[in-house]
Amino acid sequence: MTANWQAGNANEDGEATRGWLVGHFIDSSKGVRSQKDVEVKWANHPAGDKRTDWTSDDQRTTLVFLVNGHFRVETTEGNSTMTRPGDYIMWGPGIDHSWEAVADSTVLTVRWPSQT
């Protein structure tokens, strides 16, 4: 690995950071994965896995893609159930959310900007 180039496996590289691969919280020793502008997460959720607490006043834009499975996202503006690979939901700053894996699911999440 060099500071500006990396290849790897999302499942392995995200183990220590709850699936997050890119963001301000990635140690700078990880090179290009340490970013202030964007966060990227690869997550495998078993059926029944859910976020029971809602986010609170998140000020980022979020985009969630379904890679496979059946995944539901609830927001303060509406709900979406994703069943086909490539289905997505996106929301902007100030919208809170929660989620549930209806079946075993893999999702890719992109948030920006990366902030604490």
Side-chain angles (χ1 to χ4, degrees), residues 18-106:
R18 296 183 5 257
W20 291 102
L21 299 168
V22 176
H24 76 278
F25 41 77
I26 302 296
D27 190 275
S28 61
S29 68
K30 302 296 181 187
V32 71
R33 290 179 48 208
S34 181
Q35 295 287 325
K36 293 183 174 121
D37 297 323
V38 67
E39 301 172 359
V40 178
K41 181 177 188 176
W42 179 268
N44 299 298
H45 297 284
D49 193 18
K50 64 175 84 174
R51 180 185 182 122
T52 55
D53 296 328
W54 282 64
T55 60
S56 179
D57 195 35
D58 193 359
Q59 294 302 307
R60 294 171 285 198
T61 299
T62 302
L63 173 61
V64 179
F65 286 100
L66 180 69
V67 176
N68 62 54
H70 187 167
F71 199 78
R72 178 173 173 76
V73 177
E74 297 181 6
T75 76
T76 50
E77 296 294 319
N79 305 322
S80 181
T81 300
M82 300 179 288
T83 59
R84 298 178 304 151
D87 284 353
Y88 69 91
I89 180 173
M90 184 174 183
W91 61 91
I95 297 177
D96 296 334
H97 77 281
S98 186
W99 52 261
E100 178 179 7
V102 179
D104 291 350
S105 301
T106 300

Side-chain angles (χ1 to χ4, degrees), residues 1-6 28 30-33:
M1 178 181 78
T2 66
N4 285 320
W5 185 91
Q6 181 174 355
S28 61
K30 302 296 181 187
V32 71
R33 290 179 48 208

